[in-house]
Amino acid sequence: MTDIVARGVNFVYAREFVIAERGDAAWPAIVERMPPDAAAVWSKPFSLLGTYSFSAFKALAPAIRGAGRADSDETLARMYEFIAERSLNSVYKVFFRLTKPSFVIGNYPKLWSRFFTAGTVAVSELADDGAVVTFTVPEVFLDWLPPACLGYSRKAVALAGGSELRMRPIPPARRPDGEWEAAFRLAWRR
C-alpha cells in the first residue's frame, strides 16, 4: 500500500478543514487517534505539490469518527467539499460556474488525477440531472469512497449551479485484475 498515494492538496486542506471546524487544540487529539505510522505522516508539514501515503490520508476519517460526533459521515463529506473548493483555482471556479453540473461531473476523470495517483474514474449515463460515476480502484479505497464521492460531487454540482445532490451507491464488484469497480448514481436539481 506504500505505492498508493494521495496528493498534498488532500492533506493540506483536510488539516485546514479540521482546524477551522474544531479549533487548533482539536488537531493533536485527532492525530492521537490515528495509528502511529499515519500519525507520523500527519505530524509533519505538507507541500501542496507533494504526494503522501493514501493509508495515512484515509486514517483521518476514523480519527474524526472517533471524536464522537454523531454527524461524522456528513462532516467527512463537508471536508471533501472543502478540499475540492480550496484546491481549484479561481479560473476553474469561474469556468465551472458558466457550465452545467453534467459538464463538471463529466470531467471527474480529469479532476480525479488532481487528488490521487491510483485508480481511474468513468462517467456514464450522463444527463442534465444525473450521472453514474464509476471508480476503478484498489480495495483500500472502497470504504473511504462513499463520503468522499458525496463531498467532491456535491461541490462539483454546486459550482455549476446545481443543488440537492443525491447519491445512491451501486454494490462494488471485484475485477479479474484485482481492482474494484465502485459506482454511484448521482442525481441533482438544476
Side-chain angles (χ1 to χ4, degrees):
M1 201 155 51
T2 56
D3 58 343
I4 299 174
V5 297
R7 299 202 188 276
V9 295
N10 294 294
F11 288 85
V12 171
Y13 298 136
R15 181 176 7 206
E16 189 177 298
F17 173 83
V18 170
I19 291 170
E21 282 263 315
R22 301 186 181 179
D24 287 325
W27 183 249
I30 295 284
V31 173
E32 280 182 24
R33 288 186 193 91
M34 295 180 190
D37 56 335
V41 172
W42 281 101
S43 297
K44 296 179 182 173
F46 298 110
S47 162
L48 289 171
L49 301 176
T51 56
Y52 306 93
S53 162
F54 177 75
S55 62
F57 179 64
K58 185 179 166 181
L60 181 60
I64 287 174
R65 285 185 178 109
R69 291 238 169 139
D71 68 342
S72 62
D73 283 343
E74 177 57 28
T75 299
L76 291 172
R78 282 196 335 271
M79 180 179 74
Y80 299 123
E81 281 186 79
F82 183 88
I83 292 168
E85 171 76 25
R86 295 282 289 134
S87 66
L88 293 173
N89 67 38
S90 57
V91 173
Y92 268 109
K93 290 176 191 174
V94 168
F95 179 68
F96 286 158
R97 283 189 175 92
L98 299 173
T99 65
K100 299 185 304 184
S102 58
F103 178 82
V104 180
I105 294 295
N107 276 287
Y108 231 125
K110 293 176 194 166
L111 296 171
W112 176 260
S113 66
R114 294 178 59 94
F115 300 100
F116 304 101
T117 62
T120 60
V121 182
V123 179
S124 61
E125 300 181 35
L126 188 59
D128 284 342
D129 61 351
V132 173
V133 178
T134 304
F135 298 85
T136 303
V137 292
E139 187 173 9
V140 68
F141 280 88
L142 290 181
D143 61 342
W144 170 86
L145 269 174
C149 182
L150 178 61
Y152 290 127
S153 299
R154 208 160 46 191
K155 178 50 66 177
V157 167
L159 282 171
S163 63
E164 299 177 37
L165 177 79
R166 295 168 314 284
M167 182 183 85
R168 187 172 48 100
I170 298 168
R174 189 177 186 111
R175 294 165 38 109
D177 63 5
E179 293 215 324
W180 288 79
E181 284 187 359
F184 300 89
R185 185 171 295 283
L186 305 177
W188 57 80
R189 291 178 62 88
R190 175 81 170 125

